[in-house]
Amino acid sequence: MNKENSLTQQAENINSIFPSQKVLMGPGPSNLHPRVLAALSKPIIGHLDPDFIGIMDDIQKMLRYAFQTENPVTFPLSAPGSAAMEGSLANLLEKGDKAIICINGVFGGRMKDMASRIGATVVTVEDEWGAEVDLEKLKKTAEQNSDAKLIAFVQAETSTGALSNAEEIAKIAKKHSMLTIMDAVTSLAGVPIFVDKWGIDVVYSGTQKCLSCVPGLAPMTFSKKAVEVIKNRKTKVQSWFLDLSLLLGYWEDDTKKGKRAYHHTAPINPLYCLHESLVLLQQEGLEKSWERHRENHLLLKAGLKKLGVKYLIEGNHGLPQLNSVIMPDGVDEALVRKKALDDFHLELGAGLGALAGKVTRIGLMGHTSQKNNVLYCLAVLEKLIKQK
Ligand SMILES: *Cc1c(COP(=O)(O)O)cnc(C)c1O
């Protein structure tokens, strides 16, 4: 009874929350377009309601456009990007399989951890943080490990801001008849992706980065070859929730109308948001979206140069949507981020892992990638850098 009382006391004085508006220029989430936010408050319906099935069909069609693929198996996983990463590896790999994993930042490292938990033999191709995946090193590793089942890599390493050459990595994999898994969490809608043209087998993304949707969903696409490999597994996928063969009961190809069956209760309202953010993407056009991300990146870069702020990546493999920058000497980057958030409601990202304390990560993702936000960020940084 006493315990109950204390539980009541702990809970009873809590009220509704009213977070203030912030300009989100970190590594995600990005700001929501008002139409995406409004979609969240549309009336909830059942996850097998015929109206909802129509919405699912739309989402699958628009995701195929975003990924530039005809893959029937293209759907949003009801979980964040990391779950899609785990799902990609867990479905393609069985215990004892060999996987080549490219590591040039935090997320490649996460892939390695997941693949080894699955029981795969992992061979890594490691590059410095800030570098792109080294194609020559990868070629050599693939030659020396021609029995590997797949190559997994991160197209856009959010921890550093490096873009790797997905098309060339896919060519190396094909030469050795290996499958490919590409992490496109930060890249989708921010830089070009051509899943079919490049011939990548499994691609996953996230909703909270350049799609500017609420977090918690992860668009995925599987090639016919990948689906075939999964269908011919000798063992069951260890995770029930991430097992593609079960998930397909609900998300199977929208061309097979009316076949959808319960797997789990889909996050209805977040899926409304995804629908709206994909409508926005299709209305703007993929190319225009890539162009906008690039233009705003160049505007930011020119302004930062004047402030004496340098880029971690000087080559042309720097991402437009994630800028890892180095503050001028004598400027406390953690303090700059703290003041930007406290005094100006501007969120900037900290460096991760090897880059913690060394870089500040400025995100220009999705709806956040606008000229007014770039100019606001530059004005705030100018003030804070001068204050040092
Ligand atoms: C953000 C991110 C993830 C993880 O996504 P979550 O939604 O945070 O789980 C994976 N890979 C990359 C490259 C990311 O930027």
Side-chain angles (χ1 to χ4, degrees):
M1 200 62 204
N2 272 347
K3 191 163 177 215
E4 260 178 42
N5 281 341
S6 103
L7 291 174
T8 306
Q9 277 165 14
Q10 283 177 45
E12 72 188 354
N13 292 323
I14 300 177
N15 280 311
S16 308
I17 51 165
F18 299 96
S20 46
Q21 291 268 0
K22 306 212 172 167
V23 179
L24 300 178
M25 294 182 72
S30 53
N31 286 112
L32 302 178
H33 189 286
R35 270 168 53 188
V36 174
L37 187 59
L40 202 53
S41 64
K42 290 184 182 171
I44 188 164
I45 56 179
H47 64 280
L48 287 171
D49 186 304
D51 287 346
F52 194 66
I53 287 173
I55 292 168
M56 293 167 73
D57 294 349
D58 288 353
I59 290 174
Q60 290 186 282
K61 287 189 183 77
M62 292 189 287
L63 281 180
R64 287 191 193 105
Y65 167 69
F67 279 126
Q68 291 289 289
T69 184
E70 309 258 353
N71 288 343
V73 178
T74 302
F75 66 96
L77 185 73
S78 306
S82 304
M85 182 192 279
E86 194 144 27
S88 306
L89 294 161
N91 278 282
L92 287 189
L93 292 171
E94 295 188 61
K95 214 175 224 157
D97 284 342
K98 190 185 264 190
I100 298 176
I101 298 189
C102 305
I103 305 180
N104 60 337
V106 163
F107 294 102
R110 189 174 289 185
M111 279 182 158
K112 178 193 171 190
D113 189 8
M114 287 175 178
S116 44
R117 284 168 192 242
I118 291 162
T121 304
V122 180
V123 177
T124 59
V125 175
E126 299 192 29
D127 285 291
E128 253 176 59
W129 288 42
E132 60 189 303
V133 172
D134 185 323
L135 297 172
E136 291 310 312
K137 245 195 267 181
L138 178 61
K139 268 182 206 160
K140 235 182 241 154
T141 307
E143 271 158 26
Q144 289 163 357
N145 297 278
S146 55
D147 56 333
K149 191 176 195 177
L150 59 86
I151 297 177
F153 68 99
V154 180
Q155 186 190 16
E157 233 322 328
T158 323
S159 60
T160 66
L163 176 68
S164 286
N165 192 332
E167 190 172 12
E168 291 302 318
I169 293 173
K171 277 186 196 159
I172 297 170
K174 243 186 230 118
K175 196 175 159 210
H176 297 279
S177 307
M178 295 172 194
L179 295 162
T180 36
I181 296 178
M182 178 168 95
D183 178 315
V185 177
T186 282
S187 36
L188 190 66
V191 288
I193 293 183
F194 298 99
V195 171
D196 285 359
K197 200 169 118 200
W198 295 347
I200 303 193
D201 293 294
V202 179
V203 185
Y204 61 86
S205 188
T207 41
Q208 77 275 30
K209 305 205 180 176
C210 293
L211 289 176
S212 278
C213 174
V214 291
L217 295 169
M220 302 186 84
T221 187
F222 291 76
S223 71
K224 290 199 171 118
K225 197 166 125 205
V227 173
E228 208 49 45
V229 167
I230 295 166
K231 280 194 179 143
N232 289 313
R233 284 177 63 102
K234 291 192 221 66
T235 55
K236 276 189 182 180
V237 174
Q238 190 278 332
S239 157
W240 180 90
F241 188 75
L242 296 173
D243 184 340
L244 186 75
S245 60
L246 302 177
L247 268 166
L248 285 186
Y250 187 55
W251 275 112
E252 181 72 86
D253 185 358
D254 42 295
T255 53
K256 299 176 188 162
K257 272 201 164 49
K259 291 273 184 203
R260 302 190 188 282
Y262 171 69
H263 172 264
H264 64 278
T265 309
I268 307 297
N269 297 54
L271 285 166
Y272 294 163
C273 293
L274 178 58
H275 188 283
E276 193 60 25
S277 68
L278 291 168
V279 168
L280 281 162
L281 179 63
Q282 161 256 313
Q283 287 173 346
E284 179 180 25
L286 260 180
E287 272 119 8
K288 286 264 167 61
S289 177
W290 301 333
E291 215 174 280
R292 173 170 53 83
H293 281 87
R294 213 181 107 71
E295 279 170 9
N296 290 322
H297 157 74
L298 292 175
L299 183 66
L300 177 74
K301 195 167 185 173
L304 289 175
K305 196 173 175 191
K306 286 187 197 144
L307 298 177
V309 177
K310 294 204 173 72
Y311 268 68
L312 174 72
I313 297 172
E314 281 300 347
N316 54 13
H317 68 286
L319 284 170
Q321 66 271 50
L322 197 286
N323 300 261
S324 283
V325 303
I326 302 160
M327 291 293 159
D329 282 345
V331 175
D332 179 345
E333 82 83 30
L335 190 62
V336 166
R337 279 187 294 104
K338 185 183 184 309
K339 283 192 172 169
L341 189 61
D342 291 350
D343 302 347
F344 300 98
H345 289 181
L346 170 65
E347 181 180 80
L348 301 171
L352 285 183
L355 296 174
K358 298 197 176 107
V359 302
T360 308
R361 291 183 301 153
I362 307 180
L364 280 172
M365 296 179 179
H367 184 59
T368 302
S369 177
Q370 293 181 49
K371 280 193 187 69
N372 57 329
N373 287 333
V374 173
L375 297 179
Y376 181 60
C377 175
L378 287 170
V380 169
L381 285 179
E382 182 175 15
K383 195 169 169 65
L384 296 177
I385 287 171
K386 277 185 185 152
Q387 264 181 17
K388 69 167 176 180

